[in-house]
Amino acid sequence: MNNDFQQRLKEAFDKYVLQQQNRFPSDEILRADLHCHDFNSDVPDELLGRLLNVPETWLPSETLIEKLRKNNCSVFTVTNHNNARSCYALQDKGLDVLVGAEFSCRVPDFEIGIHVLAYGFTPEEEVRLEKLRKNLYHFLEYARQRRIPTVWAHPLYHYSSKQTPPAAFFNKMLLVFERFEVINGQRDTWQNLLVKAWLESVSEEDIDRYAKEFGIDPLQYCSDVYRKSVSGGSDSHMGLFAGMTGTYLHIPNLQERLRTESRSQLALEAIREGRMAPFGTFQNAEKMTIAFLDYACQITLNYADPGLLRMLLHRGTPQEKLVAFVVSNLFSELRQHRVTTSFIRIFHDSLMGKKPSRLKRITVRQAYQPIFGEALRIATINKENGKDLIADYYDSIVEINRQLYSILSRRLEKKLTKIREKEDLANRSPAVWLEQLELPVSLRAYTADGGGKEKKSIDMAAFLDGLSFPFFGAALILAAHFISARTMFNIRPLLKDFSKRLQRFEHPERILWLTDTWLGDGEAAVFLREMLGEIKRRNLPVDIITCSSRVRPEPHLIVLPPVQEFALPFGGEDCTCSVPDFIALHNLFLSGGYDRIICSMEGVMGLAGLYLKHAYSVEASFCMHTDRMAFARDRLKPDEHILNRFRRILRFFYLSFDRVTAFSSDTYNAKIAKEMIRSGKEACLVGSRQEMFERITGFTPK
């Protein structure tokens, strides 16, 4: 993989942070995290959190302040969503705290939701700000009148917008804001640098032109329409990284003024006057992945049934409520597994620096000792608080995931072997496999006493025994990776548009082509091997990736070792299913700088492609090589009922992609292509391998 995009981002970010660090004399600054949360952020902006009736964190105020102190903050604030309750409570306890909050505001003319940080207001002013936040312009006008400084938090991250915000939206926001959060600890470096580049590109002439275009007087909202100040904040909800990203506040003659004035007063003055310089570290999704993983742990430990009636009557689409119902049941199920819950508690405590008791260390099962050892390592890392804290945390999580995969793989293989021996599954026809491809609707079918007198081909309760902990543990880690990437990159179209408009930090165009097959003389394997030669000859920005224990990597051919391999019940010796480490694939996509996905087979790697499509919000195409319905008739020999089931499974799979390219000579492929077009997705038919390559990659073979 020849990609230096992330390295270029890191160099640009490090240079910017160093410049900001040197802006003010070191003996005249206060260090503050101007964006952090505790347990009073109890009403999430995200609909799923409200449907599940969970707060954004259970973090006590005292724990947050302790973490801020540990990371060398010299002035404190807590910016919870739409309230300053924690600030007032801490002040009542005698702590010098700058009152702050993060308000969810609505921009009415663009129907977009944004977050605005505000500081130094009174309880009475908070009531007024809370009422005005449904109209951003009224909110900012009142704040200007009351000398309440505001900061637009994570400016490229918006809420409740049905489409990518237009350029006019950002132009208008330049008129009404004078302070912008340039480094947010829960956003990736690409997004943060684009905010910086955008603000640096704005001239006084631009401001004047926008003011005339929108017909507004910026002095209605800003004290200085041309000065754009920048800040930083961790946006930490779990407390893990509070204070690691923040703002240097310049106070001339600081030591003298501290004799008569409080730190919070001096900090408020610096924010008002724009004497701010952000600090932080280069990051991708590691921080957010760790934070989401800890959040999932806390939900598991604290979860209470939100109530079905409440969920049904809540705002949201049927699909959103269905997702909430499924997630609610998953967390409820997690709480029923003692081993899993026990480790989740140990893991959360370790992240907060609390080592497990000696009794726990003695009684943990032998198979789980390596996982337990990594939890101990995390607790030690927290205590040491070294400069590589995030990387060390993440390395331990990846190792825990690897150990869970190993345990799950070994136990799954033993169970499948027993089932094959007992049920004689190897002698069953493929049609019987398709017919029995079903999951019970009733949850009782998965419990030991839930089967009743109905005959089951597989005892699900017995099958799942021993798999729950490694499965749920690995699933939680993968879910944290997915959600963190989804949260950061669901605005990818906006980021690409911004970088193109600014001509700065433009993401490279690189394709990751996923396939389950590489060896053999099948149509897909032969086509891909031919195309690899073309890719290598022209050094095209395309990498093919497969998962196999028999294939060796080459330039532009990436081979992931399988964590599990098993033979399929049809197709002979070469038909094996290889399951990759999804975390390794997830990280490889980001580090490789890919921006598109192509899939060639209807197997595990095809499903992995759909995972990456939704995690990173990228376009995914499918390359159909063979008429699968003809394959089913010839190889599986099913009856019409089974054939219809196979057809529906294929159609559902293909329609999950953004576009499909198929050979026009294959009847079923042509039919699917027409259905893709009817569904509003792109589809095309080709007559040769060369045309297939050109259509699906955009590169014309020579």
Side-chain angles (χ1 to χ4, degrees):
M1 292 178 295
N2 180 22
N3 170 56
D4 61 351
F5 181 63
Q6 295 298 329
Q7 182 59 35
R8 286 189 284 116
L9 290 179
K10 184 178 187 309
E11 290 173 358
F13 184 85
D14 290 345
K15 181 180 178 181
Y16 176 66
V17 169
L18 184 60
Q19 289 172 344
Q20 294 298 307
Q21 182 180 333
N22 294 329
R23 277 180 59 193
F24 306 126
S26 59
D27 60 345
E28 292 187 343
I29 59 170
L30 293 173
R31 180 179 167 119
D33 184 343
L34 293 181
H35 190 171
C36 53
H37 301 262
D38 69 11
F39 74 101
N40 273 314
S41 279
D42 52 357
V43 181
D45 262 344
E46 288 73 16
L47 181 60
L48 180 60
R50 296 200 299 276
L51 284 168
L52 296 176
N53 198 28
V54 293
E56 290 197 338
T57 179
W58 285 263
L59 181 70
S61 302
E62 292 75 16
T63 305
L64 172 61
I65 297 299
E66 180 185 347
K67 191 66 176 179
L68 291 170
R69 280 201 181 102
K70 188 175 181 181
N71 283 320
N72 302 315
C73 287
S74 51
V75 63
F76 309 115
T77 186
V78 185
T79 55
N80 287 321
H81 289 297
N82 305 314
N83 77 86
R85 293 192 295 267
S86 294
C87 294
Y88 302 140
L90 289 168
Q91 285 179 336
D92 290 342
K93 294 178 180 179
L95 190 66
D96 180 26
V97 172
L98 171 63
V99 173
E102 182 180 20
F103 290 94
S104 302
C105 296
R106 190 77 179 165
V107 187
D109 46 343
F110 291 96
E111 295 188 358
I112 293 174
I114 66 172
H115 283 179
V116 181
L117 297 161
Y119 307 95
F121 49 82
T122 66
E124 294 74 23
E125 289 170 333
E126 180 189 334
V127 173
R128 185 65 178 154
L129 290 169
E130 172 64 21
K131 290 180 179 179
L132 293 174
R133 68 183 179 87
K134 295 178 182 178
N135 186 311
L136 173 72
Y137 307 113
H138 296 164
F139 179 95
L140 293 178
E141 187 175 9
Y142 176 78
R144 169 84 170 92
Q145 293 168 358
R146 307 295 295 187
R147 298 192 71 230
I148 300 170
T150 57
V151 178
W152 187 8
H154 37 70
L156 295 188
Y157 196 83
H158 55 277
Y159 298 82
S160 306
S161 177
K162 297 178 182 178
Q163 58 188 1
T164 300
F169 165 73
F170 293 98
N171 294 342
K172 193 170 184 179
M173 294 303 101
L174 280 170
L175 297 175
V176 299
F177 281 101
E178 58 182 306
R179 304 173 194 86
F180 299 79
E181 186 181 57
V182 167
I183 302 182
N184 180 286
Q186 291 297 314
R187 308 293 154 192
D188 72 303
T189 297
W190 185 29
Q191 188 174 151
N192 286 333
L193 283 176
L194 284 175
V195 176
K196 164 194 170 289
W198 169 50
L199 294 175
E200 290 176 347
S201 72
V202 178
S203 66
E204 292 187 4
E205 290 76 16
D206 292 328
I207 298 295
D208 292 337
R209 187 174 71 256
Y210 299 150
K212 184 177 180 180
E213 177 184 338
F214 293 108
I216 63 175
D217 180 6
L219 288 173
Q220 190 175 354
Y221 308 102
C222 305
S223 59
D224 187 336
V225 298
Y226 301 120
R227 181 190 64 188
K228 302 303 176 186
S229 306
V230 292
S231 70
S234 69
D235 201 0
S236 174
H237 288 68
M238 304 301 112
L240 297 173
F241 308 116
M244 295 180 67
T245 306
T247 308
Y248 298 121
L249 301 170
H250 181 217
I251 318 295
N253 199 22
L254 173 62
Q255 300 306 319
E256 182 67 27
R257 296 188 64 183
L258 281 174
R259 296 177 182 178
T260 57
E261 299 172 79
S262 68
R263 293 173 183 266
S264 60
Q265 289 175 318
L266 297 175
L268 181 60
E269 175 193 297
I271 297 170
R272 279 178 177 151
E273 297 183 7
R275 291 186 263 108
M276 302 184 293
F279 66 83
T281 56
F282 171 82
Q283 64 195 47
N284 281 316
E286 295 88 352
K287 274 187 186 177
M288 190 170 276
T289 298
I290 297 166
F292 271 124
L293 184 56
D294 187 47
Y295 185 46
C297 292
Q298 292 192 55
I299 292 178
T300 303
L301 299 174
N302 296 282
Y303 192 65
D305 191 333
L308 181 59
L309 185 61
R310 177 189 176 280
M311 191 179 291
L312 292 174
L313 296 177
H314 201 284
R315 181 176 65 86
T317 65
Q319 183 179 4
E320 289 167 333
K321 293 176 182 179
L322 177 61
V323 171
F325 176 78
V326 172
V327 172
S328 178
N329 275 276
L330 287 174
F331 278 114
S332 297
E333 184 66 22
L334 269 173
R335 289 177 61 84
Q336 303 304 313
H337 295 272
R338 287 188 299 174
V339 174
T340 306
T341 306
S342 176
F343 177 75
I344 284 173
R345 188 178 301 280
I346 290 171
F347 181 79
H348 169 65
D349 288 345
S350 297
L351 282 173
M352 301 309 293
K354 181 180 177 182
K355 290 187 177 182
S357 66
R358 289 185 177 275
L359 181 61
K360 284 282 186 184
R361 301 181 204 182
I362 296 171
T363 58
V364 68
R365 298 181 188 178
Q366 183 65 34
Y368 303 148
Q369 284 286 351
I371 298 173
F372 191 84
E374 288 300 322
L376 283 173
R377 181 172 177 266
I378 288 172
T380 304
I381 292 169
N382 184 290
K383 291 292 186 184
E384 294 174 351
N385 202 35
K387 65 176 183 178
D388 296 324
L389 177 70
I390 299 167
D392 290 341
Y393 270 165
Y394 188 73
D395 287 346
S396 285
I397 289 170
V398 170
E399 178 59 24
I400 288 172
N401 182 74
R402 192 188 70 79
Q403 294 289 343
L404 289 169
Y405 265 144
S406 177
I407 295 170
L408 183 63
S409 176
R410 292 196 303 269
R411 293 181 178 179
L412 188 60
E413 181 59 37
K414 287 182 180 179
K415 288 181 179 291
L416 289 174
T417 300
K418 288 183 179 179
I419 291 172
R420 283 194 291 265
E421 293 172 352
K422 182 179 179 181
E423 304 288 341
D424 193 23
L425 300 183
N427 294 325
R428 294 190 184 186
S429 71
V432 172
W433 277 89
L434 273 175
E435 186 177 17
Q436 293 187 346
L437 183 61
E438 189 56 89
L439 295 174
V441 173
S442 171
L443 293 177
R444 289 184 60 82
Y446 298 94
T447 64
D449 59 348
K453 296 181 180 179
E454 296 181 11
K455 186 180 185 313
K456 298 179 290 184
S457 61
I458 297 177
D459 185 341
M460 291 300 297
F463 181 76
L464 293 175
D465 181 42
L467 300 181
S468 300
F469 170 57
F471 172 77
F472 280 126
L476 272 180
I477 293 173
L478 183 61
H481 280 78
F482 178 87
I483 295 171
S484 66
R486 180 71 179 170
T487 301
M488 286 188 171
F489 294 104
N490 67 345
I491 59 168
R492 182 181 286 268
L494 174 62
L495 299 180
K496 291 179 70 174
D497 179 66
F498 244 73
S499 59
K500 184 177 181 180
R501 195 183 333 150
L502 297 170
Q503 296 185 328
R504 296 287 308 280
F505 309 116
E506 293 186 67
H507 198 286
E509 294 185 354
R510 291 178 61 82
I511 298 172
L512 186 63
W513 195 325
L514 297 94
T515 179
D516 288 279
T517 184
W518 184 257
L519 303 174
D521 56 1
E523 173 68 35
V526 172
F527 170 76
L528 285 168
R529 291 199 296 270
E530 286 182 4
M531 292 308 105
L532 177 63
E534 181 76 14
I535 291 166
K536 288 197 291 187
R537 185 175 66 83
R538 298 173 56 194
N539 195 28
L540 295 173
V542 182
D543 290 324
I544 299 174
I545 184 169
T546 189
C547 178
S548 174
S549 59
R550 296 187 294 161
V551 180
R552 294 293 172 262
E554 307 174 31
H556 292 281
L557 175 63
I558 304 168
V559 182
L560 289 178
V563 295
Q564 181 76 42
E565 276 190 313
F566 52 89
L568 294 174
F570 54 84
E573 173 181 5
D574 286 333
C575 282
T576 59
C577 180
S578 300
V579 181
D581 182 338
F582 271 67
I583 303 300
L585 180 60
H586 177 103
N587 291 334
L588 183 146
F589 185 85
L590 181 63
S591 63
Y594 303 104
D595 73 328
R596 281 178 288 164
I597 291 167
I598 298 174
C599 295
S600 275
M601 292 294 292
E602 301 87 344
V604 175
M605 294 299 278
L607 295 175
L610 291 176
Y611 165 90
L612 293 173
K613 162 186 162 61
H614 292 289
Y616 287 102
S617 301
V618 294
E619 180 188 89
S621 304
F622 192 82
C623 185
M624 294 174 66
H625 299 277
T626 307
D627 185 340
R628 291 300 174 188
M629 292 305 296
F631 170 86
R633 291 189 189 96
D634 295 342
R635 300 287 291 273
L636 308 183
K637 304 188 184 307
D639 59 27
E640 194 62 29
H641 167 71
I642 301 304
L643 199 62
N644 286 336
R645 166 170 286 201
F646 186 68
R647 181 184 292 109
R648 287 191 291 270
I649 292 172
L650 282 178
R651 186 169 57 221
F652 177 81
F653 178 76
Y654 295 143
L655 290 175
S656 300
F657 289 86
D658 297 295
R659 66 188 223 244
V660 167
T661 303
F663 286 115
S664 57
S665 58
D666 292 326
T667 306
Y668 186 67
N669 293 2
K671 182 180 178 182
I672 283 294
K674 291 177 181 177
E675 290 185 1
M676 291 285 287
I677 294 170
R678 284 201 299 269
S679 70
K681 297 187 177 183
E682 185 180 345
C684 62
L685 296 172
V686 298
S688 68
R689 292 176 181 173
Q690 294 290 346
E691 189 180 356
M692 172 78 82
F693 183 85
E694 177 183 352
R695 288 276 190 170
I696 204 159
T697 65
F699 302 114
T700 304
K702 295 180 180 179

